[in-house]
Amino acid sequence: MIFKSKANKALDKMEDPRETLDYSYQRQLELLQKVRRGVADVATSRKRVELQINGLEQQSRRYEEQGRKALSVGREDLAREALQRRSNLQTQMADLRTQHDNLQAEEEKLTTASQRLQAKVDAFRTKKETIKATYTAAEAQTRINEAFSGISEEMGDVGLAIQRAEDKTAQMQARAGAIDELLASGALDDYSGTRGDDIQAELDRMGGGMDVELELARMKAELGQGPAPQGAIEPGQQPPQAQPQQQPQQQSQTQQLRQPGEGA
């Protein structure tokens, strides 16, 4: 029972209703052909019996003529023999006529059956084509719906391929980002020569800090909160005026700080 159920399930999965309908139609055509062949055989037998009957009738008429001739010449014994043979032929013709009638009736039955079967085959062919067209349309609609919903095998394979590609892309991006971070932190050595050593990195950071200080001083100068730095002078601007001389108080303090014997 298990084997039969498994086999039935496998056959049901492999079965195509359109192929089954075509096979059934082919079998019906073969059956119709056999019926027509049977009608032809019966008609042939009937025709053969008719030929035999016609031959016996001709022979019967010949015996009758021979009997008349024998009586005309006074040969009653020959006339009796001719009539006896004619009587035997009449018996054979009666049997053949019975067979002929039976064959004719059988031929009519087969002809009627052939006509009915032909009508059924024609109706089955029309229904078969209608069912095949409906099944094909339903199959196409099912495939379209499965493709839209993503549950078909083809679309499922495409979805898995896209998912794998996205996963690999994300993994490669994460790996590239991690390597960049490790190279920037110095945990990995860059053998391409595009990155400097630790001292150069420190100098770059200091240079970046000085740029920020210069930008901050320039902004303060624009707001009137302090003098503009020399490094912040943009092209086309006038250079700042020279610093005024030191005040007398500052000069006296400078002189006090000088030691005796130093130049003025």
Side-chain angles (χ1 to χ4, degrees), residues 35 93 153 190:
V35 173
M93 286 189 295
E153 295 182 359
D190 186 5

Side-chain angles (χ1 to χ4, degrees), residues 18-65:
R18 292 167 295 187
E19 296 177 355
T20 304
L21 290 172
D22 290 336
Y23 179 73
S24 299
Y25 178 70
Q26 185 67 29
R27 292 296 302 274
Q28 291 184 10
L29 289 178
E30 294 176 358
L31 180 60
L32 179 61
Q33 187 67 24
K34 289 181 180 180
V35 173
R36 289 177 176 176
R37 190 178 297 111
V39 174
D41 293 340
V42 173
T44 302
S45 299
R46 176 183 57 80
K47 191 65 177 178
R48 187 181 299 111
V49 171
E50 288 179 356
L51 294 175
Q52 290 179 359
I53 291 173
N54 293 332
L56 291 177
E57 287 179 350
Q58 293 176 2
Q59 188 67 26
S60 177
R61 288 192 294 269
R62 187 179 303 111
Y63 283 148
E64 184 178 0
E65 292 175 1

Side-chain angles (χ1 to χ4, degrees), residues 210-234 237:
M210 294 176 63
D211 292 340
V212 173
E213 294 296 331
L214 290 174
E215 184 67 18
L216 180 61
R218 187 183 64 80
M219 294 177 63
K220 287 182 178 182
E222 292 177 355
L223 297 175
Q225 298 179 2
Q230 293 182 358
I233 296 175
E234 297 180 356
Q237 293 182 352

Side-chain angles (χ1 to χ4, degrees), residues 22-214:
D22 290 336
Y23 179 73
S24 299
Y25 178 70
Q26 185 67 29
R27 292 296 302 274
Q28 291 184 10
L29 289 178
E30 294 176 358
L31 180 60
L32 179 61
Q33 187 67 24
K34 289 181 180 180
V35 173
R36 289 177 176 176
R37 190 178 297 111
V39 174
D41 293 340
V42 173
T44 302
S45 299
R46 176 183 57 80
K47 191 65 177 178
R48 187 181 299 111
V49 171
E50 288 179 356
L51 294 175
Q52 290 179 359
I53 291 173
N54 293 332
L56 291 177
E57 287 179 350
Q58 293 176 2
Q59 188 67 26
S60 177
R61 288 192 294 269
R62 187 179 303 111
Y63 283 148
E64 184 178 0
E65 292 175 1
Q66 290 176 356
R68 291 178 183 276
K69 289 180 180 181
L71 286 175
S72 63
V73 295
R75 295 293 305 269
E76 184 177 351
D77 55 342
L78 292 177
R80 184 179 292 107
E81 183 64 24
L83 293 176
Q84 183 63 38
R85 292 182 178 182
R86 180 175 178 275
S87 177
N88 294 332
L89 292 178
Q90 292 293 333
T91 303
Q92 293 180 12
M93 286 189 295
D95 295 336
L96 290 176
R97 288 191 179 94
T98 301
Q99 294 180 10
H100 179 271
D101 294 339
N102 293 333
L103 291 174
Q104 189 173 5
E106 187 67 22
E107 181 182 357
E108 292 176 356
K109 290 180 181 179
L110 291 176
T111 302
T112 303
S114 176
Q115 293 174 355
R116 291 179 179 177
L117 184 59
Q118 180 66 51
K120 290 183 178 180
V121 170
D122 294 339
F124 180 79
R125 181 182 60 186
T126 303
K127 187 174 182 180
K128 173 182 71 71
E129 296 299 330
T130 303
I131 294 175
K132 286 175 62 178
T134 305
Y135 180 83
T136 303
E139 184 181 22
Q141 186 64 37
T142 301
R143 291 182 180 274
I144 293 173
N145 293 337
E146 288 180 351
F148 285 159
S149 60
I151 62 176
S152 62
E153 295 182 359
E154 293 81 0
M155 295 303 296
D157 295 338
V158 172
L160 291 176
I162 294 175
Q163 184 65 35
R164 289 195 298 269
E166 291 178 350
D167 293 341
K168 287 187 177 181
T169 302
Q171 183 179 358
M172 293 301 294
Q173 290 177 348
R175 184 177 180 84
I179 293 175
D180 287 340
E181 292 180 358
L182 293 174
L183 289 174
S185 64
L188 293 179
D189 294 332
D190 186 5
Y191 295 99
S192 62
T194 57
R195 296 180 181 271
D197 53 8
D198 295 340
I199 298 176
Q200 184 63 39
E202 185 66 22
L203 292 175
D204 293 338
R205 287 195 294 270
M206 291 178 61
M210 294 176 63
D211 292 340
V212 173
E213 294 296 331
L214 290 174

